[in-house]
Structures are given as structure tokens and as C-alpha cells.
Amino acid sequence: MKHEFKLLIDGQSRDGVTTFDVVNPATGETFAQCPKADAAQLEEAVAAARRAFPAWAATPVEERAALVVALADALEARAAEFASLLTSEQGKPLDQAMYEIMGSVFTLRAFAAMRVEPKVLREEGGNSVVEHRTPLGVVGAITPWNFPVILLMNKLGPALVTGNCVVAKPAPTTPLTTLLFGELARDILPAGVFNVLCDQNELGPLLTGHPDIAKIAFTGSTATGKKVMAAAADSVKRVTLELGGNDAAIVLDDVNPQAVARKVYQGAMANAGQICVAIKRAYVPSSMYDEFCDELAKLANEAVVDDGSKQGATIGPVQNKMQFEKVVSLLDSARAEGTVLAGGAPLDRPGYFIPPTIVRDLDDDAPLVREEQFGPVLPVLQYDDIEDVIARANDSDYGLGGTVWGRDVARATEVAKRIDTGTVWVNQHLAIDANIPFRGSKQSGIGGELGEAGLLEYTQAHIINAVPLED
Ligand code: NAD
């Protein structure tokens, strides 16, 4: 029997006002119906979260943390079911889906173990100044379609541990795993503490403009992030914006090209390139450019591009039709302006399949180099001078991540320090975990997630400054 997905409002599983199709990107066909909420249901969810807030904020942190651990346990117990649903709605191969689910479990547990303690700022001459941290209230959590589960946990974990209530809104093309998680949460959390609404892009502006929402935690594109920031201004909401990126990989001249090409390939193609910090352009010394490009092309040709539910698939489809068309148009211009060594055109089969594509000989101003492709397509550029390549890597409005690859780690680290992004990995990629803060610079975001800094983003500093009363 088909699963009937429901919204979660005030602790109740609810139908929407209507439903919409959810498409499996590997087939291009509808495989489930998603309940669609309207503005009135959004009002109900926000009101429920507000009602729940005082008691939840007053609940001892140990109890709140225990419930977050219970959520992690419940998710782990049904990990296989979640991974399979994630592959159906998102497209990623099953092993990568399982990795996202288990990463989500880890994230919830990591936040459950974190605490914010009051900080004594002064204790002298009878004057006591203490910084306490109080929760903000209702948080709107808006997520994209590339990692629908873990990007929600990055928000839910810290929000709940610090005593906030949450209204979550997943992306329209990947809503089902969030709804299934809502079912788990319904039986674990007090009513109203966590609510899930789904839409077809109509509710975002209502959440971001809502006077009873204290903070928007948003992950998505830079274009939408700008709208979120503008809408939040009216009520001076707190915002965390995790936005797009155009991460450069800088390969230094002391590496083994074949070994590093393998790592760069993986960093560019995991999740079919749909990772905010995927390697989106690679800079390689001229002396090893041909060899490096050829190795990347070899790896691309070896990839198994298939439905993520099929055993052995290494690259699934692009998640949705709109993104597929965007990547196809970047491919068209790349074919005209550069040399395609592998891939280069969508597969002639149902679904949104683009094989891993390696393009060389492009100018720095080519759209595939300048824009965020968010697909399995990597431009490879050459350089001769380290100063020049640092300048080219930094010549972007984005500032999310990046990688530097070098046998001499100290030298690679010096280069990494000069890359103007929130994170730079040296000789590794995607080493993100809940205990390490993550944030973008420039137009890649504001505020951050993860780590203690990510926890504090869900709190307000509350200074108590006391002196003895003098007669
Ligand atoms: P998107 O901006 O199109 O959508 C993200 C979410 O915003 C969806 O839930 C959508 O329904 C909602 N939304 C749409 N219009 C809105 C509005 N006016 N107000 C509020 N919300 C609105 O992004 P996407 O295409 O789903 O995701 C891909 C993008 O996300 C890429 O740019 C990627 O780099 C970025 N991303 C960033 C990070 C990070 O941590 N920095 C992580 C993952 C993805």
C-alpha cells in the first residue's frame, strides 16, 4: 500500500488543502503525492509553535537534549526506509542516501551533547555581569533539494537543544523525507514544537515575512537568500543564510596528478555535483594539465550513471527538470567555447541524467567557470603562477569553500589562508561535521551553522548586570 504523507501541525498529522506530484528524477515519473499547505495552515503552525514555546523553553536542557537523542534513535532505527525514500525523491545512489541519513543521526546526537553555559563577564567590587543565552522563539527552517534531510538536522538540532520551536518547509521537489521525519517527531516531541509544511514555493515569503517568527534558518540559492534577507528586514528577524558557492580546487605542482585527479573528481561529482561545496572549477599547473585532464576524463568514462536505486550506480540523475535544463544550457555553451573530454550531453533515456563531464580550455569568463553549475560538470583550467591562480580563485562573488592539494602541507596551507571563503580544505574534501562551524563569506551567506557557533545562532545574548543596592 502506498504511504500517505501528511503535514505536521500542532502535533497532528494533517492533510493539506490539496496535493501535488512528487517526481522520481531517475524516471521523470510521479511516484507519490505531497500534501500542500495553504496560508491558513501556515498561520496554524506558527500559532502552535508560539503556544508551545514558553513550556519548551522552560523545559530543562537535559530533557530537551534527551528528546533530540530520541529523534536520532528513531531515525537510525528506520534508516534504510529513509535512505530508500531519499533516493526516490532526490536521485542520489542508495549508499550516498544512507550516508546522508547516518550523517543526520550523527548531527542530532552531536547537538544533543552541546550546551550553552552562562558566561561571567565581570565579578568585581560587587558588580556582577553575566551573559545568559535565551532561545529566540519560533524558527522557520527552509531547506533546498540537494540534502533535504541533513540540512534540516543542521537547523533542528541546535534550535531544539537551545529551546526554540520550529516550522520546517522543505523544497517542493524533495518534501517526503521531511514529512516522514515529521511522523517520527509527532510521537516524540510535545505538540507544536516541530511543524512541517509543504508548498510549491508559495509559503517561503509568508514565513520570512511573518511577525511571529523570530529567525529564518535558510539554505538555498543566493538569489532566494537575497529575497529572504529583504523580507526579514521588516521585523528585524535573525537570519542564517547558507547560500551558493563556486568552489575552486587549486592543485599545486608537487602532487602526483593521477592520485589527486581521483580526489578532485570525487569532490566534483559526488551527489551528481549538487553540493554547495562541490569542487566547481579546478586549477591545475600547466606542467601536468594534460595528464590531469586525461585522468579526470578516464574516471568520468568509468562512472556508472544510473537510477540511484540500482546496485552499483555511482552517479544518479540531476534532481529536477529546472536544474537539468540549467546544466544542459551550461553544457551547450561549454561545448562551443571549450574542449569536452568526457560526457557533454544528457543521456537519451527518461529521467534527468547527465553523465560526468570534463571540460578543458575554457576562459575564466565562460559561464561554466563563472556560474554555479550545480551538476556533474567540471571545468579544468591551467595556471603557471601561484599569485595568478590565487587571484583567479578569489575572483568570484561567492565565498563558500575550496580545496588546496599539495604534498608540502605547510605550503598548501599558506595558499589556503589566502582563499577568501568560509572553509578551505587541504588535501581532503567535504570534511564537514556537526562539531566544526561552517559558514560562507561574500554572497555565499551570513551567519553560520554547526559547531558551538552554530548553536549560539539560535540564542539571544541576555546580559544581567547587577550591583548591590546602596541606601
Ligand atoms: P532555492 O533557493 O531555489 O530554494 C531553497 C528553498 O527556498 C526551497 O525550500 C524553496 O521552496 C524556498 N523558497 C523559494 N522562494 C522563496 C522565497 N521567496 N522566500 C523564502 N523561501 C523561498 O535553492 P535550491 O535550488 O533548492 O538549492 C540549491 C542551492 O542551494 C544552490 O545554490 C546551493 O549551492 C545552495 N546550497 C547551499 C548550502 C550551504 O550550506 N551554503 C547547502 C546546500 C545547498
Side-chain angles (χ1 to χ4, degrees), residues 142-146 151 169-172 199 201 204-205 208 218-222 224-225 227-228 242-245 275-276 280 323 372 374 400 438 444:
I142 302 179
T143 42
W145 44 257
N146 60 339
L151 293 173
K169 194 211 79 60
D199 70 340
N201 282 329
T208 51
F218 174 86
T219 303
S221 63
T222 295
T224 311
K227 291 186 197 161
V228 170
E242 295 284 4
L243 309 178
I275 305 184
C276 54
K280 292 180 180 142
Q323 187 60 28
E372 182 184 39
F374 224 59
L400 195 58
F438 179 79
S444 287

Side-chain angles (χ1 to χ4, degrees), residues 196-444:
V196 181
L197 301 173
C198 297
D199 70 340
Q200 289 181 294
N201 282 329
E202 306 86 356
L203 297 183
L206 301 181
L207 283 171
T208 51
H210 202 292
D212 291 341
I213 291 185
K215 173 189 166 96
I216 295 289
F218 174 86
T219 303
S221 63
T222 295
T224 311
K226 289 178 184 178
K227 291 186 197 161
V228 170
M229 199 165 169
D234 202 37
S235 51
V236 196
K237 275 185 191 29
R238 277 60 188 146
V239 287
T240 305
L241 303 178
E242 295 284 4
L243 309 178
N246 189 7
D247 292 8
I250 298 180
V251 178
L252 300 180
D253 57 9
D254 62 352
V255 304
N256 170 344
Q258 295 203 356
V260 172
R262 194 162 277 278
K263 293 175 195 288
V264 167
Y265 174 83
Q266 194 52 32
M269 301 301 175
N271 207 35
Q274 302 161 114
I275 305 184
C276 54
V277 287
I279 294 175
K280 292 180 180 142
R281 45 198 172 121
Y283 295 88
V284 179
S286 302
S287 57
M288 61 176 77
Y289 187 59
D290 290 345
E291 190 182 356
F292 201 96
C293 289
D294 290 347
E295 183 65 18
L296 287 172
K298 181 172 150 257
L299 294 166
N301 286 324
E302 285 169 7
V304 182
V305 186
D306 206 345
D307 185 328
S309 66
K310 295 258 172 70
Q311 185 84 29
T314 57
I315 292 209
V318 169
Q319 200 277 319
N320 59 71
K321 189 155 183 272
M322 209 169 100
Q323 187 60 28
F324 174 77
E325 283 166 0
K326 182 183 164 191
V327 179
V328 168
S329 107
L330 284 172
L331 280 181
D332 290 344
S333 66
R335 261 200 314 271
E337 296 168 31
T339 312
V340 174
L341 295 180
L347 298 188
D348 183 16
R349 61 177 276 184
Y352 310 131
F353 288 96
I354 293 176
T357 295
I358 306 296
V359 187
R360 56 173 284 173
D361 305 327
L362 285 171
D363 282 346
D364 281 7
D365 281 329
L368 182 60
V369 181
R370 280 260 148 228
E371 293 175 28
E372 182 184 39
Q373 64 271 49
F374 224 59
V377 184
L378 180 67
V380 192
L381 306 138
Q382 57 182 315
Y383 76 90
D384 291 305
D385 175 62
I386 193 71
E387 292 301 320
D388 171 59
V389 77
I390 291 170
R392 288 162 72 195
N394 283 334
D395 180 19
S396 171
D397 289 337
Y398 292 115
L400 195 58
T403 51
V404 181
W405 306 87
R407 194 176 293 282
D408 178 344
V409 179
R411 176 170 164 246
T413 301
E414 285 309 308
V415 174
K417 283 189 199 163
R418 297 180 56 198
I419 304 303
D420 184 7
T421 60
T423 300
V424 186
W425 291 289
V426 175
N427 296 331
Q428 58 176 349
H429 180 249
L430 211 61
I432 294 180
D433 84 53
N435 295 303
I436 301 173
F438 179 79
R439 56 188 56 214
S441 71
K442 298 192 272 186
Q443 293 192 23
S444 287

